Amino acid sequence: MRPLTDEETATLFEKLANYIGKDIEKLINRPDEAYCFRLHKDRVYYVSERLMRQSTNVSRDNLLSLGTCFGKFTKTKKFRLGITCLDYISQYAKHKVWVKPGAEMSFLYGNHVAKSGLARITEATPQYAGVVVYSMNDIPMGFGVAAQATEYCRDLDAAAVVVLHQADIGEYLRVEDDGLL
């Protein structure tokens, strides 16, 4: 377990800024306790500084995970967010999408959100912005990328894709051997 390098931190913050904007500062400077990001086996963990100091008593070989896994770095040094960070992203999300009850299962099976399944979308959502997908009961179900800007969504036909799927809570059941969860 080690701190992130400047390049890794920039890559992580760039990805998080796509979803939560400048609220990244609120993740680190919390009123209850200071938190930080740590890298262990190409995975980025969000952990309190108190727990991080206590984990130094465990050898790196024996340490499996620590805190909440936010995602992992690929072999090409790109960062991929994991579904385990959904609780933190949904708190500070700038752009949100609500899907109809009939489209919830389709999204949870890993499909994109079509316009026919779109119930609401936040105003002024730009194209390719990170969005958090909610059910109509305001339960965060996953996140993705807006395929169309808000103003163009009204003119699309029913089969057009509005949100490109990236991760959903159904992955807890579908992905068994990845080790990310």
Side-chain angles (χ1 to χ4, degrees):
M1 178 181 66
R2 66 169 176 80
L4 277 70
T5 64
D6 291 340
E7 181 181 318
E8 291 167 341
T9 303
T11 305
L12 169 66
F13 284 1
E14 182 180 313
K15 181 66 96 165
L16 285 175
N18 193 27
Y19 291 92
I20 62 177
K22 296 182 188 273
D23 287 336
I24 297 170
E25 181 182 322
K26 292 180 183 176
L27 285 176
I28 297 170
N29 299 326
R30 292 173 44 164
D32 56 347
E33 188 176 358
Y35 275 70
C36 59
F37 291 101
R38 289 291 184 253
L39 185 74
H40 183 63
K41 297 182 182 176
D42 290 331
R43 304 219 187 302
V44 176
Y45 293 94
Y46 178 65
V47 61
S48 69
E49 289 186 1
R50 181 185 52 80
L51 183 60
M52 182 201 49
R53 284 192 301 273
Q54 290 176 346
S55 70
T56 58
N57 297 328
V58 179
S59 70
R60 288 185 182 186
D61 295 335
N62 293 336
L63 187 66
L64 295 177
S65 70
L66 180 68
T68 303
C69 182
F70 257 55
K72 67 179 185 176
F73 282 100
T74 63
K75 294 188 187 300
T76 59
K77 299 299 179 200
K78 293 182 181 175
F79 185 73
R80 181 163 186 228
L81 282 174
I83 191 61
T84 49
C85 70
L86 179 64
D87 289 337
Y88 297 101
I89 289 177
S90 64
Q91 290 177 10
Y92 305 111
K94 293 188 308 183
H95 308 293
K96 302 176 183 181
V97 170
W98 289 265
V99 295
K100 294 177 182 175
E104 287 179 12
M105 287 307 294
S106 176
F107 180 75
L108 293 177
Y109 281 123
N111 298 319
H112 303 307
V113 177
K115 179 167 185 281
S116 62
L118 180 69
R120 291 187 307 183
I121 186 169
T122 54
E123 290 297 320
T125 300
Q127 188 175 19
Y128 306 123
V131 295
V132 176
V133 179
Y134 288 88
S135 68
M136 290 303 293
N137 297 329
D138 285 334
I139 298 171
M141 298 189 317
F143 52 88
V145 175
Q148 301 292 332
T150 304
E151 58 267 8
Y152 297 119
C153 287
R154 294 180 184 95
D155 300 330
L156 295 174
D157 62 272
V161 174
V162 177
V163 176
L164 301 170
H165 177 274
Q166 284 193 334
D168 63 81
I169 56 177
E171 288 181 20
Y172 285 116
L173 301 174
R174 292 192 312 268
V175 180
E176 297 176 7
D177 298 327
D178 185 27
L180 179 63
L181 303 175

